[in-house]
Amino acid sequence: RDHIDQKDILEIFKNSTNKYYNKFFEDYVKAVNRGRDNSIFDYMYLPHIGKTLGKFYHILPVKYHVLNDYSQNFAADGTYNILRNKIMHPVRPILTDSDTISNIDILLTDFQKIKEILR
C-alpha cells in the first residue's frame, strides 16, 4: 500500500489476458461505483497479491525485492493458495499426506521470513 499506486494495480488487472484478473477489476469498479471505495488491497485474494508482487517488485524499495521470490507461491496453483483452498473448502481431511504437511511447513516458514523482511 505504501509503495504501489492503486491505479497502477488496477491497470494491470484491467489489461490482463486472464479472465479471473479482469473480473477482479470489474468487481472492484462496481464496488466503487456503489460507494464502497475501499482500498483495492481489501479485495485481493492470494493470487492477486502474487500477481501484484510479480509485476511491481521493481518499484519497491530494494530491501523488499526479495518478496518477488514468494510471488509464485501466491498464484492460483501455488503452495499458499492450494493450502488456503484446502482449509477454507475442506471436502477431505486437510492433512492427507506428507506433501500437505510439507506445504504447511513451507507456508509457516515463509510467513516468518516475510514478516522479517517487512519489519
Side-chain angles (χ1 to χ4, degrees), residues 3 5 16 18 41 45 48 58 67 82 91-92 103 108-110:
H3 304 289
D5 190 290
S16 176
N18 183 310
F41 295 98
Y45 288 103
H48 303 122
H58 63 283
L67 291 173
I82 290 169
V91 292
R92 296 184 199 119
N103 287 340
L108 294 174
T109 302
D110 288 358

Side-chain angles (χ1 to χ4, degrees), residues 73-87:
N73 287 339
F74 285 97
D77 60 349
T79 302
Y80 308 156
N81 202 49
I82 290 169
L83 282 173
R84 180 246 178 233
N85 289 338
K86 276 188 154 199
I87 292 166

Side-chain angles (χ1 to χ4, degrees), residues 39-105:
S39 166
I40 191 171
F41 295 98
D42 296 338
Y43 291 86
M44 287 184 160
Y45 288 103
L46 292 172
H48 303 122
I49 294 169
K51 175 99 170 158
T52 301
L53 281 174
K55 289 289 186 178
F56 294 102
Y57 81 95
H58 63 283
I59 67 167
L60 296 173
V62 173
K63 70 179 187 173
Y64 296 139
H65 284 195
V66 70
L67 291 173
N68 191 48
D69 295 347
Y70 301 95
S71 64
Q72 276 306 109
N73 287 339
F74 285 97
D77 60 349
T79 302
Y80 308 156
N81 202 49
I82 290 169
L83 282 173
R84 180 246 178 233
N85 289 338
K86 276 188 154 199
I87 292 166
M88 297 302 292
H89 309 287
V91 292
R92 296 184 199 119
I94 295 169
L95 299 173
T96 54
D97 55 31
S98 61
D99 285 343
T100 303
I101 295 168
S102 176
N103 287 340
I104 290 172
D105 183 58

